[in-house]
């Protein structure tokens, strides 16, 4: 999808809310260590200050110059490298807000678990008391070995967040669990460690994407929604500590962190049933889906043949339930509701009365309207320009910004509404 700056296929690499945050990246000797360069690019591209340590094993595969060229500052090597500050093993502990070890080798897991301090990365980890994220990568038998698993258990018990390896073919030609986790999972785990946890304890449901209403065996009625705005909201809520569940229409290709629960549906009625089942246990509902208001009366499971069409074929439609309206009207005290409005309007100001009308009709707490007839807003664009109103009568017009930034502002608004 064109929205991702880094190639990680996550809306969050366009967020401005992590600028000037400080991260330390440890890179160990593993074939996967070239992938750490992509992580570094994604973080520095967002204005995050990244320092790095390459272990001797890592330096066999990649050079410090690569990491320096991609913006890591400083790049540490050995404990007693000439010209290095005598206290450089303490520096990440003084400056970084989170430490990520990716890829983490079996040897590094052992050293971190047992408090070794004789190499630069282990000493820096020992002197670091902030959030530690570990993304192991190794041969599947090394990973499943009880010795490695015991080290992982120790690190988890101490509060480290382990981004577990993926399953599949490894570079050594074997199959199993051991490949470095998908980069977007590691990328987002670090952002979560850097984000304020002001949504901790909240359960958030997000509807997103289009719905698809079948007519015959091959044809359907739908719209061009990509689900990106909803994905940005779900990821934002999760980064800020919430437990997020998405109810996603078909064809949504944005990758979500593994911790976000996902219910896939096809039609408006499926989405209504799934969302209705989840809603009683939620604290917040964010309704971004472009739900088809009408479904064609089905022709049947077979393909309609044009030879059978009378002159001027007409298709009748029946209305679908309004998910937002139904769930907002039937909500329990304390449940918060964010609605959206996709409108065609001549300018941003003209969105405001439409937004107020939809907010009242649907009974939302906050309603965000965008102009789908604008090139920088609406279906499939990486950005949105919004007119936002709330039930207390506040209204604001926001300039064009990334959907990640829109999501951030909307979560903040819903929290204080
Ligand atoms: N929505 C919904 N269920 C529907 C229709 C809309 O939950 N059947 C939600 C959308 O997710 C969005 C809001 O209602 O949060 C407004 O959707 P929008 O398409 O802008 O408006 P509609 O209610 O469909 O009305 P209209 O198309 O006439 O503008």
């Amino acid at each position: 999808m064109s929205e991702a700056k880094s190639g990680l296929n996550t809306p969050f690499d366009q967020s401005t809310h992590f600028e000037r945050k400080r991260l330390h990246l440890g890179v160990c000797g593993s074939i996967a260590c070239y992938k750490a360069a992509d992580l570094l690019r994604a973080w520095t591209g967002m204005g995050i200050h990244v320092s790095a340590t390459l272990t001797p094993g890592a330096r066999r595969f990649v050079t410090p110059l690569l990491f320096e060229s991609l913006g890591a500052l400083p790049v540490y090597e050995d404990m007693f490298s000439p010209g290095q500050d005598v206290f450089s093993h303490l520096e990440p502990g003084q400056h970084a807000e989170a430490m990520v070890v990716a890829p983490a080798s079996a040897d590094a897991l052992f050293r971190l678990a047992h408090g070794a301090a004789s190499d630069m990365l282990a000493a820096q980890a020992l002197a670091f008391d902030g959030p530690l994220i570990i993304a192991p990568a190794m041969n599947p038998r090394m990973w499943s070995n009880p010795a490695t698993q015991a080290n992982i258990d120790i690190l988890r018990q101490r509060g480290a967040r382990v981004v577990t390896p993926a399953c599949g073919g490894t570079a050594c030609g074997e199959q199993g669990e051991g490949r470095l986790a998908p980069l977007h999972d590691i990328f987002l785990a670090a952002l979560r460690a850097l984000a304020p946890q002001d949504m901790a304890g909240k359960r958030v449901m997000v509807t997103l994407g289009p719905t698809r209403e079948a007519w015959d065996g091959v044809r359907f009625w739908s719209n061009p929604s990509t689900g990106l705005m909803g994905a940005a909201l779900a990821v934002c809520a999760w980064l800020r500590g919430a437990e997020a569940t998405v109810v996603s229409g078909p064809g949504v290709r944005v990758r979500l962190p593994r911790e976000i629960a996902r219910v896939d549906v096809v039609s408006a009625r499926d989405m209504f049933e799934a969302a209705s089942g989840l809603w009683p246990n939620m604290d917040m509902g964010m309704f971004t889906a472009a739900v088809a208001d009408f479904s064609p009366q089905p022709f049947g499971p077979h393909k309609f043949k044009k030879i059978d069409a009378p002159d001027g074929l007409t298709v009748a439609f029946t209305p679908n339930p309004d998910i937002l309206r139904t769930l907002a009207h039937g909500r329990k005290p304390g449940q918060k509701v964010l609605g959206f409005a996709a409108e065609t309007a001549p300018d941003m100001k003209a969105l405001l009365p439409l937004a107020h009308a939809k907010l009242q009709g649907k009974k939302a707490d906050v309603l965000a309207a965008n102009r789908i007839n604008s090139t920088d807003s609406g279906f499939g664009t990486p950005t949105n320009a919004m007119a936002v109103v709330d039930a207390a009568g506040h209204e604001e017009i926001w300039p064009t910004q990334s959907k990640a930034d829109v999501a951030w502002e909307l979560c903040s608004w819903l929290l204080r509404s």
Side-chain angles (χ1 to χ4, degrees), residues 29-355:
S30 152
I31 298 158
C33 67
Y34 71 95
K35 297 181 184 173
D38 279 339
L39 286 170
L40 171 63
R41 280 189 79 177
W43 288 318
T44 54
M46 300 169 70
I48 297 175
H49 181 106
V50 185
S51 51
T53 302
L54 270 59
T55 65
R59 299 201 305 274
R60 296 275 184 144
F61 290 97
V62 289
T63 64
L65 182 61
L66 171 65
F67 285 76
E68 278 160 10
S69 308
L70 293 174
L73 186 74
V75 177
Y76 301 96
E77 298 182 37
D78 290 323
M79 190 89 104
F80 303 107
S81 299
Q84 199 161 254
D85 189 281
V86 69
F87 295 117
S88 48
H89 62 296
L90 304 178
E91 283 173 1
Q94 290 157 345
H95 305 299
E97 293 157 84
M99 183 183 280
V100 182
V101 185
S105 62
D107 185 60
L109 297 180
F110 165 75
R111 301 175 74 72
L112 264 52
H114 296 280
S118 53
D119 69 276
M120 182 59 110
L121 180 61
Q124 287 174 330
L126 197 62
F128 181 78
D129 57 8
L132 176 64
I133 295 135
I134 296 171
M138 65 198 72
N139 167 278
R141 280 173 289 116
M142 289 170 78
W143 170 247
S144 60
N145 191 296
T148 304
Q149 291 303 310
N151 292 330
I152 281 287
D153 286 345
I154 291 172
L155 290 163
R156 273 205 180 105
Q157 274 159 27
R158 274 193 218 129
R161 157 99 168 77
V162 180
V163 188
T164 48
C167 244
T170 52
C172 51
E174 295 186 23
Q175 289 284 330
E177 201 175 67
R179 290 168 60 92
L180 186 69
L183 295 190
H184 68 99
D185 278 333
I186 306 168
F187 168 77
L188 290 173
L191 296 195
R192 196 176 203 223
L194 296 173
Q197 296 299 290
D198 53 355
M199 296 181 78
K202 304 266 183 240
R203 290 160 301 175
V204 177
M205 176 180 79
V206 183
T207 69
L208 59 87
T211 66
R212 195 179 278 179
E213 316 303 317
W215 179 59
D216 73 351
V218 292
R219 299 172 180 96
F220 58 79
W221 175 258
S222 191
N223 60 66
S225 170
T226 57
L228 183 57
M229 188 63 244
L233 275 162
V235 172
C236 182
W238 174 79
L239 289 176
R240 291 166 68 167
E243 206 181 286
T245 303
V246 305
V247 183
S248 173
V252 172
R253 299 204 318 271
V254 192
R255 300 187 75 165
L256 297 167
R258 303 174 209 185
E259 289 86 351
I260 294 186
R262 176 171 177 156
V263 182
D264 285 307
V265 296
V266 176
S267 68
R269 197 153 279 281
D270 295 342
M271 187 175 273
F272 177 65
E273 275 159 25
S276 303
L278 292 163
W279 182 230
N281 295 319
M282 295 292 155
D283 301 301
M284 292 181 174
M286 301 180 178
F287 296 83
T288 72
V291 185
D293 293 318
F294 300 93
S295 298
Q297 277 174 13
F299 167 74
H302 306 295
K303 187 182 175 198
F304 175 82
K305 302 295 284 180
K306 62 178 175 287
I307 199 154
D308 297 330
D311 274 355
L313 172 68
T314 52
V315 178
F317 283 82
T318 48
N320 282 322
D322 187 321
I323 305 169
L324 162 57
R325 192 174 189 285
T326 310
L327 300 190
H329 277 74
R331 70 169 110 173
K332 294 188 296 195
Q335 284 184 310
K336 299 262 185 81
V337 171
L338 168 66
F340 274 73
E343 306 288 358
T344 47
D347 54 41
M348 292 302 291
K349 250 185 131 187
L351 282 176
L352 287 170
L354 299 170

Side-chain angles (χ1 to χ4, degrees), residues 17-23 47-50 97 194-196:
H17 286 272
F18 294 86
E19 281 170 10
R20 289 182 293 282
K21 297 272 183 195
R22 302 181 74 94
L23 198 61
I48 297 175
H49 181 106
V50 185
E97 293 157 84
L194 296 173

